[in-house]
Amino acid sequence: MAVLSEEQSMLRDAAKSWVQEQSPVGALRKLRGDGAGLGFDPAAWREMGQMGWAGVVIPEAHGGSEFGWLSLGLVLEEMGRTLAASPLLATSAAAAALTLGGTDDQKAEWLPKLAGGEVIGALAVDEGPHHAPGKIALKAERSAVGWTLTGAKTFVLDGMAADLLVVAARTSGQPGEASGITLFLVPGDAAGLKRQALKLADSRGAANISFEGVEVRQDAALAGGLDLLDQVLDRARALLAAEMLGSASQAFETTLDYLKTRVQFGQVIGSFQALQHRAAKMYVELELARSAVEAALAALDAQAPNAAELVSLAKTRAGETFHLVSNEMVQMHGGIGMTDEHDAGLYLKRARAAEAAFGGQAFHRDRYARLQGF
Amino acid sequence: MAVLSEEQSMLRDAAKSWVQEQSPVGALRKLRGDGAGLGFDPAAWREMGQMGWAGVVIPEAHGGSEFGWLSLGLVLEEMGRTLAASPLLATSAAAAALTLGGTDDQKAEWLPKLAGGEVIGALAVDEGPHHAPGKIALKAERSAVGWTLTGAKTFVLDGMAADLLVVAARTSGQPGEASGITLFLVPGDAAGLKRQALKLADSRGAANISFEGVEVRQDAALAGGLDLLDQVLDRARALLAAEMLGSASQAFETTLDYLKTRVQFGQVIGSFQALQHRAAKMYVELELARSAVEAALAALDAQAPNAAELVSLAKTRAGETFHLVSNEMVQMHGGIGMTDEHDAGLYLKRARAAEAAFGGQAFHRDRYARLQGF
Amino acid sequence: MADFGASDLDAFRTEVREWLAANYPPELRDGGAPTDPEAIWGGRRFEGSDDPQIVWMRRVAERGWTAPSWPKEYGGAGLSREQARIIEKELAAGGYRVPLASFGVWMLGPVLLEYASEEQKREHLPKIVRGEIRWCQGYSEPGAGSDLASLQTRCEDAGEHWKINGQKVWTSYADKADWCFCLVRTDTSKKHEGISFVLIDMSSPGVETRPIRLISGESPFCETFFNDVLVPKNNLVGRVNGGWDIAKRLLQYERQNISGGFGAGGGAGGVAGDLAQVAKDYVGTDEEGRLEDADLRARITRNKMDVHALQLTMARIAAEQKASNGPSAVTSIVKYAAASFAQERSELMVEAMGSQGLGWSGEGFSPDELRATRGWLRSKGNSIEGGTSEVNLNVIAKRVLGLPDPK
Amino acid sequence: MADFGASDLDAFRTEVREWLAANYPPELRDGGAPTDPEAIWGGRRFEGSDDPQIVWMRRVAERGWTAPSWPKEYGGAGLSREQARIIEKELAAGGYRVPLASFGVWMLGPVLLEYASEEQKREHLPKIVRGEIRWCQGYSEPGAGSDLASLQTRCEDAGEHWKINGQKVWTSYADKADWCFCLVRTDTSKKHEGISFVLIDMSSPGVETRPIRLISGESPFCETFFNDVLVPKNNLVGRVNGGWDIAKRLLQYERQNISGGFGAGGGAGGVAGDLAQVAKDYVGTDEEGRLEDADLRARITRNKMDVHALQLTMARIAAEQKASNGPSAVTSIVKYAAASFAQERSELMVEAMGSQGLGWSGEGFSPDELRATRGWLRSKGNSIEGGTSEVNLNVIAKRVLGLPDPK
């Protein structure tokens, strides 16, 4: 665990107790049963807004607390522990797009509402089954009032709930080219925007969204192309890695408890050396992942030049670790771990969904290597 | 273990007892100390010749027994157990080049001598640090008498001892192109041929060989280009895989014995479950490797259409298995395994050298995928 | 059993082929009319049914070909192993539906033949062959998973009957089965030597089943409760407290059966289809036709090679067993390797599909994609059911490699 | 120790920097004249030597900076941890040669400070600081590897002296050391409580050393034999049969020391150099500048990421320990992770070099290539020496995770 400032410790402790009390794993089960389509509980989200979580990475000038990415990561880690559902990650990523690429007017219009949680934001980037920011094809063409957007986005996290979509579009060039990308702010109620709710294995809210000649004003464009998109994505990735670290930590601790109590062959199964070594290896992976996640978040706060590299490292290691731990959680629980009644399956499903979102391990290993010219 | 014919069982048993008695691991230690440069004991090789091993894959019409590749694999597996040194693999591969691509005259000239072990053969293919049959650059140009060869070959197994070199050369095109390759028969004493003995970590005999305008006759060329080369290489690869399987099996058995006798913390260390599971996983790998190796050799005998795929499978799995087992051999022996006095280091060194020869695991995984159009 | 030569076998093959062609219900040809997928398991529910699948089962059963190597007096066909294999192969080669899927044929029958009384054989075996009774397996309990012998379901002497109280878990299809072969405790003072093997009619008063919902959303297993269930005395197989040997022998048949299903790289939950092709479709290829994601390509290739090596191993085991007429030690690796390769294959399948491999239901996902997701989840059970991978490794270490227990 | 503030530390840094610049022998600058590589270990052999490396050691030692945090009365400089770290950093930043490498400073000194008598401290510590005595570690025995406490070297009361008989193994540089700190058995009826910690002059009659040749061809370790070696009574540290606590404390210092060396992804045997660059040089790149062998590229990238994550972990541990003034549980993972990543790095290095990474000696191979081969072999010891990886995992499982021993 990183060395925290006093305000960070307080934030983390507050998040921990709120999450444990107000949003235990049972809350996700309830949402799953409801099938409301948003993927989170609006009342819980209002509370998070009141606690200021949506403003942690938003400048004080625009109504946030400006505590930074490491601080927000602490909150998400705690939420990850119970698989707590909320649009906090997506909203904070949208806020990052504004903070990094918005004009003063754009910021003044949107950031205070995002900071208070009144407006839910989301990133609309990918257009196929795999994360591929370079392959954007959705077209943005000049129109009388500004721009016309035509195309479709897939797997938009919290896309059903979003009031404000940050949409990556192509103003020129061909899919695969680095130049010609612009981010647009698109209100969720824009005409021609159609959403299809996705029922995912991990019960997280997501949508496919089509843009059938959606008109936006001239000032809907943010300043900065693929570079801006990459910076925004890196913030989403680092937050997701923090959340995954929390989920993996909880999955590990639950499994460890089981190892200490389940008896077979007259022994607590945690006394079997083969399981002990596997548990120890999970601990090693968790600690390495924690170091990478905290370093990535700190690098974003410091705007360090190697932040992108550290984010890919963090997302990869959090992914590998959660992958391993969620598999071992099922296996070490044996039959009971295969039942829907037990939480193991929930962590397993979340693991794969979180791995795939914003680039899986293979994507980030490749990106890490490319960033090092390898 | 494959189901064997009576003659195969006899051959295998004869090989086993000769190898155990005449060429135990100590024989390799002695060769290593001598540093004679050939990498094997000529007297032992004469005995192998007398036992008919050099003729196992040579047609009866040319003085061999024509028992086939699976049979020869059995011999090499036994030799692998004690890391027994001989030019049997290289000589048999050269014989394959003649059998598959030679004219009646060429066969009549060379095969009987190869079958009796009087002539030692070797393949000269690679020209850089990695196995890359497609990248051959050594030039063969038309001359008054036939061809002039100019270039250099690296890491030729048994290249110091070879009386007959099968040299892959380029008669047209550029390195990387599939067409334009021809195999040439080059006597070891040809003018302009220079050899440099390599002292390798695993003490196997090998040489770098340069061809400075080496003249060969018109009839030194074999019929068939890269396809022939690939078929010849597949035979060398399958034999090497069989040898590696034998080495890995012995490394495993030696380690298993140690697990059953070494006492620490008042227990035989083989009673520790973590080591038991690792031992069991090695056994699984060994059995999978055995299936692949035997299937590849049988496919060569049957000239099956999927022989190339099976050979890449066999070489990969033998490589992975020997890699794993040789590492575990050192680790499970602890300090004693790190000493030169113990055999673990010999198996470890041989493992990596054999992995690299004729294409490592990464090469053959890629080849396997390509063969399946993936 | 008659001793057949090669030419006799050829004649037999022709006979089988002709009979199958002549007797296959036309409704089932070429995909045919939809029939109840449960029908192939048979059982009381299908008594009198004219579902063509059931008709097919009855015709095959009449010849004893649902259990071809069982003796004729118990309803089998009394055929040799070679002949039985010919029937199996001809059924598969001709694209015929499986006539009967049955724990009775695969697991219970073989141990009844070995351990049961003549009366028990005559009572139960013919009904198994004819698919009249569907059986389930009452082995695992909540506190007895890998350590099966610690089971606690009590079986007490109640005069005319045994009285059974306790709970089983992981009973496959208990809610659809007619009878249950069950391990019970007849002596609480001993562990292995206090276990008996009894046959229980699931329609007996006091039997209750409750399906277990799995992480994949399916419910192929049940919890099964026995409350003062009375079982006739002669439903105990072998001797009282002698059930552990029968239990172990039956597990051997079960493992063979589970392992047999893994040959194609599938296993319970695995989805069909060429993993490489799926990856190409969802990820794309480069100008040389290779998968664009080189990292994923290498891992998929490894898995394909794993599965290939396992298939070769199973062929080798079959050849060795045929040559030696005895079991091969290599069999011990099959379940472990098959489970781990099948699980990895399922992982790669959903990874290749990306976000399309993460759907649960509803729009936005094709049926194949949803099957891949659920198949991936179901495959996690491969290394747990029928003996965990940990137990498999223990068995290899101790029985095959001879490594000792700690002192 | 003085309590320094930040500005005081800045002043101290300036002082150190100036002193080092002023006192570094000019012969050693810029790679400098070749000096005996053994010289940095000091010891009796170098008494009176004017090797510039020895001159440098003596100058630094005179200020107590070879053991800066040790008390002044024992030859140290009595500095704070922050100050000691400044000296370390300035030495590295200025490219100065290490003044003194010493098991005395790293391992023995700290436990003497804690457990030894005043007389023992005054006798041994100053000689360690000044590099006059080179120490070796007599711990492992042929029958006592991971299970160190099963050691059998006998230490008997012989009136004026202790009489020592037995054999040690893996004694690093015993053939070059002047004294040995040694674990011996003073009570054969107990295991841990029968062990004592004694200091032995290696020039005593009856001491014999025999270098062990490793698989890498080097001989950094010895077998050490004690035949009726007489040791003065007051060379026993702590109480008789109380050596095990001292032994364990010393092992903590040793592990810190071994782990500390792994930060750069090296470890004993690892060769320097950028693995990615080596791979590019030997394998080649595609038109996008990526390694041509995509399979190898993915594996090298994994290893680079492993090493990176470990470096970040070590930085985190340092920050946590500084903040809490206490040890971090995370330290337990360092040795295990460092060994396995360093070994994998060495494997990838020789794999990338292909046949050029398999040379042993002679022509055809560059010095870097030969170093890679031998470094790879040497790295296999990383997961054995100073506590095997198996023992590391046991420790994590039991002490950090609280998993129980079997009943």
Side-chain angles (χ1 to χ4, degrees), chain C residues 382-405:
Chain C
N382 297 163
S383 51
I384 297 171
E385 57 211 348
T388 65
S389 286
E390 288 77 11
V391 167
N392 293 156
L393 292 173
N394 287 343
V395 167
I396 295 173
K398 288 173 188 170
R399 296 208 205 134
V400 182
L401 304 180
L403 290 168
D405 279 320

Side-chain angles (χ1 to χ4, degrees), chain A residues 1 287 291 317 368 373, chain D residues 280 297 306 308 313 316 394:
Chain A
M1 169 71 62
E287 291 301 330
S291 307
R317 288 213 85 93
Y368 182 93
Chain D
K280 283 189 190 179
R297 176 175 180 262
D306 283 342
H308 194 168
T313 301
R316 178 160 72 90
N394 287 342

Side-chain angles (χ1 to χ4, degrees), chain D residues 76-340:
Chain D
L79 297 174
S80 70
R81 220 192 319 182
E82 286 76 18
Q83 290 174 310
R85 205 168 293 135
I86 284 172
I87 294 174
E88 222 174 90
K89 281 188 181 165
E90 288 299 318
L91 276 164
Y96 298 103
R97 296 201 188 186
V98 175
L100 177 61
S102 163
F103 296 147
V105 172
W106 299 332
M107 299 189 237
L108 177 62
V111 303
L112 288 184
L113 282 167
E114 188 173 350
Y115 293 94
S117 69
E118 186 58 29
E119 186 195 346
Q120 288 168 330
K121 291 182 199 173
R122 291 198 180 275
E123 168 64 24
H124 295 292
L125 292 172
K127 291 179 187 164
I128 290 173
V129 175
R130 294 197 302 265
E132 289 173 10
I133 294 296
R134 180 172 180 176
W135 287 85
C136 64
Q137 177 184 23
Y139 267 43
S140 294
E141 298 183 5
S146 288
D147 184 11
L148 180 59
S150 65
L151 60 92
Q152 298 299 334
T153 294
R154 287 300 308 281
C155 174
E156 291 162 310
D157 194 328
E160 295 273 289
H161 293 85
W162 298 108
K163 190 169 77 185
I164 297 182
N165 278 289
Q167 183 193 344
K168 294 289 173 182
V169 73
W170 306 117
T171 338
S172 299
Y173 308 114
D175 51 338
K176 290 161 184 149
D178 306 309
W179 279 67
C180 179
F181 49 92
C182 199
L183 296 179
V184 293
R185 180 154 302 285
T186 34
D187 185 339
T188 54
S189 69
K190 289 168 190 150
K191 190 172 179 182
H192 297 84
E193 294 75 24
I195 292 170
S196 298
F197 189 97
V198 297
L199 309 177
I200 305 174
D201 188 333
M202 294 291 278
S203 65
S204 313
V207 177
E208 195 192 330
T209 63
R210 204 178 293 161
I212 300 167
R213 190 176 156 87
L214 294 187
I215 58 177
S216 57
E218 301 148 342
S219 300
F221 305 108
C222 292
E223 293 178 290
T224 305
F225 301 88
F226 299 101
N227 285 311
D228 290 340
V229 174
L230 295 178
V231 172
K233 274 284 168 77
N234 58 5
N235 281 11
L236 191 147
V237 179
R239 59 178 181 77
V240 175
N241 293 329
W244 185 243
D245 284 342
I246 308 177
K248 280 191 297 181
R249 180 60 58 96
L250 191 141
L251 281 177
Q252 288 177 356
Y253 290 109
E254 181 182 5
R255 278 173 196 154
Q256 275 176 24
N257 182 40
I258 290 178
S259 302
F262 282 111
V271 290
D274 178 8
L275 174 56
Q277 190 56 50
V278 169
K280 283 189 190 179
D281 292 345
Y282 282 83
V283 175
T285 52
D286 67 12
E287 62 288 345
E288 291 191 54
R290 294 173 304 188
L291 197 69
E292 229 177 39
D293 181 340
D295 187 311
L296 180 60
R297 176 175 180 262
R299 288 179 290 125
I300 287 177
T301 303
R302 277 173 194 264
N303 182 253
K304 288 179 78 80
M305 294 174 91
D306 283 342
V307 172
H308 194 168
L310 178 59
Q311 287 167 337
L312 294 171
T313 301
M314 292 175 68
R316 178 160 72 90
I317 290 170
E320 285 176 15
Q321 289 183 337
K322 195 173 163 193
S324 71
N325 258 318
S328 159
V330 187
T331 312
S332 64
I333 77 165
V334 172
K335 165 110 200 316
Y336 171 78
S340 84

Side-chain angles (χ1 to χ4, degrees), chain B residues 91-114:
Chain B
T91 299
S92 297
L98 276 152
T99 307
L100 294 166
T103 62
D104 288 346
D105 284 351
Q106 288 169 328
K107 290 180 191 172
E109 182 181 358
W110 291 108
L111 285 177
K113 293 182 207 151
L114 288 165

